[in-house]
């Protein structure tokens, strides 16, 4: 993905004798008069009146138009023949804007101190071979589900499993009865999994916390992921090997470089938005000096 990609019906029940047509025309005029104004940047509309763009699509088009107008201002691209609607950028125009970004957006190189600081702060991210033998019960959040009631149901099941008198086989029974994961048929057992084998939120809880779910056993609280609520139990753990700083320095440098680049690009787009007249949409803006 390059920087440019990153940065960037009415009815009427009229009567006979032609009255319906007249009424329909009047309704159309009324609808046009009350329709919200088209989103514009410096007077250039970002979409046609009959287009329906999602907020992310509209933002992407807005950023592309900001960059096109900046390239025109700098004399890198010719002005569009028709300025009432934002044009679609062709490959040559995209390459021109990409070159402008490369020249204008400077990214500082990460130094040794920053890399060492990142290594110390994120040491758990630099472990190889770690895995847990896991079983879980998934209460899936699906469209239309009552999330509050679902969470209460999950909490009730967790409370039952947390009691001292809970039978060892009860976890498997509840998994087969309640879990929305196919593993429920096997009592919720997922086997040995590593950080790359599960949802990022679950991996964070299992591998990248200081206490790592207390090490072993039933986790005392629900784990929330994009899929829903999980009751998890760690049956076994392989700690893996901590990589030395020299083994991961290049990896850390790449991470910091990408992060710095994304920050610089965002700042650049904020400056362009801050200097533009924007109508019909909200874009973050900034009047601060570039890369202050």
């Amino acid at each position: 993905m390059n920087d440019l990609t990153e940065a960037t019906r009415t009815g009427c029940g009229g009567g006979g004798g032609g009255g319906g047509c007249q009424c329909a025309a009047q309704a159309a005029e009324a609808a046009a008069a009350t329709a919200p104004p088209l989103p514009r940047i410096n007077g250039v509309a970002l979409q046609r009146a009959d287009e329906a763009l999602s907020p992310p699509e509209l933002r992407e088009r807005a950023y592309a138009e900001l960059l096109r107008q900046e390239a025109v201002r700098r004399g890198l691209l010719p002005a569009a023949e028709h300025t009432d609607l934002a044009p679609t950028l062709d490959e040559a125009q995209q390459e021109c804007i990409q070159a402008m970004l490369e020249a204008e957006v400077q990214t500082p190189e990460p130094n040794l101190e920053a890399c060492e600081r990142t290594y110390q702060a994120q040491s758990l991210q630099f472990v190889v071979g770690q895995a847990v033998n896991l079983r879980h019960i998934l209460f899936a959040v699906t469209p239309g589900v009552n999330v509050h009631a679902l969470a209460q149901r999950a909490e009730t099941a967790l409370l039952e499993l947390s009691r001292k008198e809970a039978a060892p086989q009860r976890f498997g029974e509840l998994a087969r009865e309640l879990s929305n994961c196919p593993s429920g048929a096997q009592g919720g057992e997922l086997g040995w999994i590593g950080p790359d084998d599960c949802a990022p939120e679950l991996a964070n809880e299992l591998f990248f916390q200081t206490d790592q779910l207390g090490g072993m056993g039933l986790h005392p609280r629900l784990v929330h992921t994009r899929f829903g609520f999980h009751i998890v139990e760690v049956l076994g753990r392989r700690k893996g090997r901590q990589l030395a700083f020299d083994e991961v320095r290049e990896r850390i440098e790449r991470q910091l470089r990408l992060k710095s680049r994304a920050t610089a690009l965002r700042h650049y787009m904020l400056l362009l938005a801050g200097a533009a007249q924007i109508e019909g949409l909200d874009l973050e803006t900034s009047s601060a000096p570039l890369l202050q």
Side-chain angles (χ1 to χ4, degrees), residues 108-190:
E109 286 293 314
N111 56 34
L112 177 60
E113 181 181 358
C115 291
E116 290 178 335
R117 188 165 56 247
T118 299
Y119 176 77
Q120 294 298 328
Q122 302 178 14
S123 61
L124 294 176
Q125 302 280 343
F126 309 115
V127 178
V128 293
Q130 59 182 329
V132 294
N133 187 4
L134 187 74
R135 62 180 179 177
H136 80 146
I137 303 173
L138 170 63
F139 297 81
V141 174
T142 55
V145 71
N146 185 325
V147 176
H148 179 70
L150 184 69
Q152 286 187 321
R153 188 181 182 191
E155 290 284 4
T156 299
L158 177 59
L159 180 61
E160 178 182 349
L161 292 172
S162 301
R163 295 192 178 108
K164 292 182 179 180
E165 63 270 20
Q169 70 272 17
R170 188 56 178 153
F171 193 106
E173 292 172 350
L174 287 177
R176 282 183 282 269
E177 177 187 344
L178 301 175
S179 184
N180 300 122
C181 177
S183 66
Q186 289 77 47
E189 297 199 15
L190 296 172

Side-chain angles (χ1 to χ4, degrees), residues 225-246:
T225 74
R226 65 197 63 187
F227 301 109
F229 306 100
H230 304 252
I231 298 174
V232 298
E233 182 175 14
V234 178
L235 305 175
R237 181 179 290 277
R238 298 172 184 158
K239 292 185 178 180
R241 180 178 71 87
Q242 178 72 55
L243 296 173
F245 173 71
D246 289 341

Side-chain angles (χ1 to χ4, degrees), residues 15-269:
C21 296
Q22 181 179 5
C23 187
Q26 291 173 344
E29 292 176 0
T34 58
L38 292 175
R40 298 177 182 272
I41 292 181
N42 294 324
V44 179
L46 298 176
Q47 65 184 88
R48 301 186 308 271
D50 59 348
E51 279 188 292
L53 299 179
S54 68
E57 290 172 329
L58 183 57
R59 283 194 301 271
E60 182 177 354
R61 189 170 294 187
Y63 291 137
E65 179 59 16
L66 280 169
L67 289 168
R68 185 196 69 81
Q69 291 187 19
E70 179 64 12
V72 170
R73 188 186 71 82
R74 293 175 178 271
L76 302 174
L77 287 178
E81 295 182 3
H82 305 286
T83 58
D84 55 335
L85 181 65
T88 300
L89 299 174
D90 60 27
E91 185 176 350
Q93 291 171 322
Q94 292 182 34
E95 291 177 354
C96 178
I97 290 174
Q98 182 68 29
M100 178 184 73
L101 288 172
E102 291 293 337
E104 292 297 317
V105 182
Q106 303 301 316
T107 306
E109 286 293 314
N111 56 34
L112 177 60
E113 181 181 358
C115 291
E116 290 178 335
R117 188 165 56 247
T118 299
Y119 176 77
Q120 294 298 328
Q122 302 178 14
S123 61
L124 294 176
Q125 302 280 343
F126 309 115
V127 178
V128 293
Q130 59 182 329
V132 294
N133 187 4
L134 187 74
R135 62 180 179 177
H136 80 146
I137 303 173
L138 170 63
F139 297 81
V141 174
T142 55
V145 71
N146 185 325
V147 176
H148 179 70
L150 184 69
Q152 286 187 321
R153 188 181 182 191
E155 290 284 4
T156 299
L158 177 59
L159 180 61
E160 178 182 349
L161 292 172
S162 301
R163 295 192 178 108
K164 292 182 179 180
E165 63 270 20
Q169 70 272 17
R170 188 56 178 153
F171 193 106
E173 292 172 350
L174 287 177
R176 282 183 282 269
E177 177 187 344
L178 301 175
S179 184
N180 300 122
C181 177
S183 66
Q186 289 77 47
E189 297 199 15
L190 296 172
W192 289 94
I193 65 172
D196 296 331
D197 301 323
C198 53
E201 304 92 340
L202 186 56
N204 183 62
E205 288 286 340
L206 290 169
F207 301 103
F208 305 136
Q209 299 296 320
T210 303
D211 62 355
Q212 293 189 338
L213 293 178
M216 297 284 294
L218 182 69
H219 189 41
R221 62 181 182 272
L222 297 175
V223 179
H224 300 186
T225 74
R226 65 197 63 187
F227 301 109
F229 306 100
H230 304 252
I231 298 174
V232 298
E233 182 175 14
V234 178
L235 305 175
R237 181 179 290 277
R238 298 172 184 158
K239 292 185 178 180
R241 180 178 71 87
Q242 178 72 55
L243 296 173
F245 173 71
D246 289 341
E247 295 180 89
V248 296
R249 178 175 175 178
E250 291 185 1
R251 172 181 163 187
I252 294 174
E253 286 177 342
R254 287 194 298 270
Q255 291 176 348
L256 294 180
R257 193 177 293 115
L258 287 172
K259 182 179 180 181
S260 180
R261 183 65 175 174
T263 299
L265 283 168
R266 181 175 178 274
H267 198 172
Y268 185 74
M269 296 308 303

